[in-house]
Amino acid sequence: MQSEELIVTEGGLEMDTMFVNMGPQHPSTHGVLRLGLTLAGEVITKAFPDIGYLHRGTEKLMETRSYHQCVVLTDRWDYCSAMTNNLAFCLSAERLFGTQVPPRAQALRVVMCELNRIASHLILLGTYGIDIGALTPFLYTFREREMILDLYEKCCGARLTYNYIRLGGVAADIDSGWVAKCREFLEFFKPRLDEYDTLLSFNPIFLARTKDIGIISKETAVAWGLSGPNLRGSGVSYDVRKSEPYCGYEQYDFEVPLGASGSCWDRYFCRVQEMRQSVRIVEQALAELPTGELMAKGVPKIPKPPAGEAYAHVEAPRGDLGIFLVSDGGAAPYRLHVRAPCFINLAILQEILVGKKVADVIAVLGSFDIVLGEVDR
Amino acid sequence: MIGYFKTVFLSTWAFIEGLWITLRYLFKPAVTVQYPTEKLVPYDAFRGALLFDPATCIACSLCAKACPSACIALASQTHPETKKRVPKPEWYTLDLGKCNFCGLCQEACPTKPKSVWHSLDYEYSFSSRDEMVRCWKPGFPLAGRVWDPRRKEFRDLESHIPVREVEARK
């Protein structure tokens, strides 16, 4: 803490503005984010997010690794939803290679990614409650998340960094036992969503902390390039699964939930409703699971794509995750760029935090659901 | 005034509703596992600490090439008279500090049974960087040994629990 200007008046020492560092060691910044806040009393006059504490240079690291090895590194961006990272990279690389993915692999990708969306949103539900001051929902959401991680462990062997979706397909098959276990989970999970609504979503204390706080208008949200539930919370209907379907999302029946006013609560509730839609998608995908191959034929051990470039984007739990891949014909990508949704969603903080009280910073920051592993990469 | 009492009533009601949910779970069995005394056994596919079998390895170094973080190193034996390469490993090291637990080495291994594979062991711990590097030479156990720089010799792993004997969860 350092004061920028001190004014001595008759009443004593008064601080005009004050600079406060929030983070990087703050429990509610979800990782290592530093927020530099300039305060006038309790009101924020200037805010800037300072990032880079978790930078590992994965984009550069991938330039020296083969395409199969790159998938392992993608797990480490958004570690709460590693499946969608795998998928985004593989879609982009498959576009480069011109690989056709078999239908069973497509359906499995959808099942895994939607389960991952539920798991990722459950983290937000739990931790956002903790940020606001409600500890109990966290215990319930992590119980359900554990079941999803169990499903992943049974199928692909890992609980967090899956390396499951591979170039040309998926790594492991699911059996009837897995499907039964997954259905059991979905049946268990559906009534739990109503419990979360009772515990957190419609709790008057939670509503008072989040409703009418951090309102983002449609125009502002689009201007800052928000995506995912943060954009849909403001009422803009944009979902990559609808606008540019991949992996056969066009054959599943689901809605895109929208928020009304763009407040913290709308962004939060968008995610709750998205989980209901994800459950629907998983049920449909499991009902009509095609049989057949898991991997496309002819994917070499060390793939060398033709020179060129490809872009593919997917609807990650946190927004529109895009991978731009440039190849010069070698075994490793020439350049890889990640359009990380968290990184872009974070930038709007400097506009909407101005004029808010310090106590609202956590409510606003938490509602964006950032993962610093993806912000810094 | 009415608004004030309405807020008080609604908050209290939400409080009771939340507590009612908690109360219902009070009489159900606990989902938590008391870790040191109770232990979960992972599923078959689980990717735990890597094990290596020097007896089946053919020193093809496909695993070393497949590894994204270059944590595997090995050298093949040479025939003492002809000085030709023999398909047997002379030494094999694995840096678990660098390991990604991605399973690519296991997939790349051509031998049957696999000479490098992910065990179900999730209870490995290290007290120094030297312990992270596990080394295998012909005759070493599957879990390997670590180099002790002070005593200048290989020593067995301390408190290593071989989960390999435990049957996986189905």
Side-chain angles (χ1 to χ4, degrees), chain B residues 4-169:
Chain B
Y4 173 75
F5 282 111
K6 203 180 160 193
T7 316
V8 170
F9 174 75
L10 285 177
S11 304
T12 317
W13 181 244
F15 192 63
I16 293 167
E17 271 186 323
L19 280 180
W20 175 241
I21 289 176
T22 314
L23 191 72
R24 274 185 308 180
Y25 282 110
L26 192 64
F27 302 104
K28 289 184 182 170
V31 290
T32 44
V33 176
Q34 305 298 324
Y35 166 64
T37 47
E38 281 177 68
K39 275 177 193 171
L40 283 179
V41 180
Y43 290 104
D44 261 338
F46 184 70
R47 303 200 294 256
L50 283 164
L51 297 184
F52 177 71
D53 187 0
T56 53
C57 180
I58 56 167
C60 62
S61 74
L62 278 178
C63 50
K65 281 175 195 148
C67 181
S69 49
C71 70
I72 301 174
L74 76 157
S76 59
Q77 292 175 5
T78 47
H79 198 274
E81 285 159 22
T82 56
K83 305 286 177 200
K84 274 187 182 165
R85 185 186 160 274
V86 182
K88 288 272 164 207
E90 192 190 349
W91 54 264
Y92 189 95
T93 61
L94 240 169
D95 193 344
L96 285 180
K98 287 183 193 167
C99 181
N100 271 318
F101 298 90
C102 61
L104 289 181
C105 55
Q106 183 185 342
E107 284 166 28
C109 186
T111 64
K112 266 181 195 175
K114 302 270 182 197
S115 48
V116 58
W117 73 96
H118 283 283
S119 67
L120 302 180
D121 181 11
Y122 57 89
E123 294 185 306
Y124 38 90
S125 58
F126 313 104
S127 52
S128 72
R129 275 168 193 267
D130 300 316
E131 281 179 34
M132 291 178 178
V133 184
R134 291 194 178 169
C135 188
W136 286 267
K137 284 183 176 181
F140 275 25
L142 295 177
R145 287 192 172 132
V146 291
W147 177 253
D148 192 331
R150 251 181 294 169
R151 286 190 286 161
K152 304 263 188 268
E153 60 179 14
F154 287 103
R155 63 174 167 79
D156 281 324
L157 302 169
E158 284 164 26
S159 68
H160 174 74
I161 304 148
V163 189
R164 195 170 182 256
E165 280 80 43
V166 183
E167 215 167 292
R169 196 153 52 136

Side-chain angles (χ1 to χ4, degrees), chain A residues 118 122 144 185-193 275 279:
Chain A
I118 297 174
L122 282 174
E144 272 79 87
F185 162 73
L186 294 176
E187 286 311 312
F188 174 80
F189 182 63
K190 275 185 267 178
R192 298 290 92 75
L193 280 165
M275 286 201 280
V279 169

